[in-house]
Amino acid sequence: MDFKDKRVLVTGGAVRIGKAICETLARQGATICIHYNRSYEPAVKLQDELIELGVDAHVAEANLMTETACNELMERAIALMGGVDILINNASVFNKQTMDEADMDCWLGELWPNFFAPVQLMRAFAAQGKPGKIVNLLDRRVTSLDTACVPYLVSKKALTDVTKMAAIHYAPRISVNGVAPGAVLPPPGEGMNYIKDYAGHIPLEVQVSPEDIAESVRFVLANDSLTGQIIYVDGGQHLSMGNGS
Ligand SMILES: NC(=O)c1ccc[n+]([C@@H]2O[C@H](COP(=O)([O-])OP(=O)(O)OC[C@H]3O[C@@H](n4cnc5c(N)ncnc54)[C@H](OP(=O)(O)O)[C@@H]3O)[C@@H](O)[C@H]2O)c1
C-alpha cells in the first residue's frame, strides 16, 4: 500500500504512542488528522512538525464520551482531509480499579473512550462506503485475567473481539486489525520505574518503545493481506498465564 495518497485519523494522536504513530505514518507520506481531547498545545506543535516533514496535517478536538462526539469527529476529519482512508483507534484511559473499587461511573469512564468510541468511530468510518483500513490499539493483557484493572481490561478484551468481528463484517471493503502493546510508557504522572516495578516478567527482556508500536501499526497497514489479526508487541509477555504478571 502506498501511504502517499492516504488520509489518516489518529485518535489521541498528540502525545505518547499516538504521537509516534502520527510521526511514523507522516514519514511514509500520509496526510494526518491528529485528534486530541485535552492536549491542544502538543497537537498543534505536532501538526507543525508534520508539516515540516512535507505532509498535510490537521488537528481536531473531541471528548469521545458520547456517540455524537464520535460522529462529529469523523465528520470533521472527513471535512478537513476530504475523506478518511485509515482510522487508528488509539485514544484510551487506564485506571487501576478492582471489582470492589469500580462503581458504574468507573465502568462507563473506561468503556466509553476505550470501547464505545472506537466502535462508533468504526461505524462512522465504514459509513463513508469506500475501502479503508482500521487499526485498534489493544493491550497485551487481553490474554490475561488481571484483576487489578477490571473495567480497563474488559474494555480492551471487548475491543479485541469486536476487532475480529468487524474484520469479518467489513470484509472485503475494510480491513480491521489490532496492535496490542506491552508495557511501553508508565501512566501519565508516573516515572519509568513504574514499568520496572509493575510490568512483570518480559520473556525477551526488552523495553518496548512507542516507535516499536508505531512501526507495527505501519506494518499492519502496509500489508493488504491482513485482517482480524492481533499483533502483540510486548516482548512475549502475553504468553504468560494467569493474572497478567
Ligand atoms: N502506554 C502503555 O504502556 C500501553 C500499554 C498497553 C496498551 N496501551 C494502549 O496503547 C494506546 C496508546 O497508549 P498511551 O499510553 O499512549 O495512551 P494514553 O496516553 O493513556 O492516552 C492517549 C490519549 O487518549 C486521549 N483520551 C483519553 N480520554 C479521552 C476522551 N475522553 N476523549 C478523547 N480522547 C481521550 C488523550 O488525549 P489528550 O491528551 O488530547 O487529552 C490521551 O493523550 C492506548 O490505546 C493504550 O490503551 C498502552
Side-chain angles (χ1 to χ4, degrees), residues 181-195:
V184 181
L185 293 169
E190 302 278 358
M192 284 310 273
N193 274 348
Y194 179 95
I195 289 194

Side-chain angles (χ1 to χ4, degrees), residues 12 15-18 35-39 62-65 90-93 113 137-139 152 156 181-185:
V15 294
R16 293 162 59 87
I17 291 173
H35 156 263
Y36 68 93
N37 181 28
R38 295 186 181 147
S39 297
N63 182 3
L64 299 173
M65 295 292 282
N90 167 79
S92 177
V93 293
L137 271 291
L138 306 169
D139 190 302
Y152 168 82
K156 292 291 186 179
V184 181
L185 293 169

Side-chain angles (χ1 to χ4, degrees), residues 4-233:
K4 289 202 174 62
D5 60 351
K6 296 295 181 286
R7 299 155 296 185
V8 188
L9 170 61
V10 182
T11 67
V15 294
R16 293 162 59 87
I17 291 173
K19 177 174 185 260
I21 295 170
C22 289
E23 290 168 336
T24 295
L25 299 183
R27 271 188 230 108
Q28 300 294 313
T31 296
I32 310 286
C33 181
I34 307 157
H35 156 263
Y36 68 93
N37 181 28
R38 295 186 181 147
S39 297
Y40 168 72
E41 284 180 13
V44 171
K45 191 162 173 272
L46 179 59
Q47 179 188 23
D48 291 343
E49 186 197 313
L50 301 188
I51 290 170
E52 282 279 305
L53 290 175
V55 298
D56 284 338
H58 307 269
V59 296
E61 184 268 341
N63 182 3
L64 299 173
M65 295 292 282
T66 63
E67 185 176 346
T68 304
C70 297
N71 290 340
E72 286 176 356
L73 172 61
M74 188 55 67
E75 282 164 21
R76 180 96 184 107
I78 291 168
L80 286 167
M81 300 192 288
V84 179
D85 305 297
I86 295 171
L87 167 64
I88 312 292
N89 275 315
N90 167 79
S92 177
V93 293
F94 170 72
N95 289 297
K96 283 194 152 194
Q97 290 153 344
T98 64
M99 282 293 288
D100 289 336
E101 287 161 353
D103 61 18
M104 287 304 120
D105 284 342
C106 296
W107 276 91
L108 286 174
E110 302 287 312
L111 284 169
W112 252 110
N114 297 3
F115 177 64
F116 296 138
V119 168
Q120 188 54 29
L121 285 167
M122 285 195 280
R123 297 178 72 238
F125 175 78
Q128 292 178 98
K130 57 186 194 59
K133 298 192 177 195
I134 298 171
V135 179
N136 293 325
L137 271 291
L138 306 169
D139 190 302
R140 64 95 187 164
R141 277 172 282 208
V142 297
T143 59
S144 79
L145 296 171
D146 190 340
T147 55
C149 47
V150 177
Y152 168 82
L153 186 51
V154 168
S155 73
K156 292 291 186 179
K157 280 173 176 278
L159 187 57
T160 303
D161 271 2
V162 165
T163 297
K164 296 174 192 170
M165 292 177 193
I168 296 167
H169 181 74
Y170 290 126
R173 190 164 58 87
I174 296 171
S175 70
V176 189
N177 290 288
V179 169
V184 181
L185 293 169
E190 302 278 358
M192 284 310 273
N193 274 348
Y194 179 95
I195 289 194
K196 269 198 208 122
D197 294 344
Y198 297 112
H201 176 61
I202 301 172
L204 287 182
E205 296 179 358
V206 291
Q207 172 58 60
V208 182
S209 70
E211 290 71 30
D212 293 335
I213 306 303
E215 171 52 26
S216 304
V217 170
R218 188 208 61 76
F219 160 76
V220 164
L221 291 169
N223 192 324
D224 291 330
S225 299
L226 292 183
T227 198
Q229 290 294 329
I230 310 301
I231 311 289
Y232 292 91
V233 190

